[in-house]
Amino acid sequence: MTYGNGELLHEDRHFYDHVEYQVPVQVYCQGIHRDIGYVEYYSEFFIKVNNTYYNRKMFTFVSRPGY
């Protein structure tokens, strides 16, 4: 698994990798930073970060290795 800083995440395997290897993700809504942390759970519809569920259609998720 190799993800660059700032790489967009959208496939289930991306989120699986981030859970498995404990790589932080940053959450954006319309280009505005909303959260940063580790993926706790993911499904077809939601990504859970910091005990908050983010709708995959409404938010953008970015890889932040080394954060």
Side-chain angles (χ1 to χ4, degrees):
M1 179 207 87
T2 304
Y3 290 91
N5 192 21
E7 188 171 337
L8 293 177
L9 309 174
H10 49 82
E11 296 181 21
D12 282 348
R13 70 177 173 84
H14 296 159
F15 296 108
Y16 172 83
D17 288 344
H18 282 68
V19 170
E20 181 75 16
Y21 297 102
Q22 287 293 288
V23 177
V25 299
Q26 194 164 12
V27 182
Y28 288 90
C29 183
Q30 298 180 342
I32 298 171
H33 167 82
R34 295 294 180 195
D35 204 353
I36 191 166
Y38 296 99
V39 176
E40 300 167 23
Y41 171 81
Y42 67 93
S43 73
E44 180 181 352
F45 302 106
F46 296 98
I47 306 297
K48 184 179 179 185
V49 175
N50 292 329
N51 210 32
T52 301
Y53 288 88
Y54 294 98
N55 186 306
R56 288 175 73 159
K57 292 183 181 181
M58 296 178 61
F59 292 88
T60 303
F61 304 91
V62 176
S63 184
R64 292 294 183 214
Y67 176 78

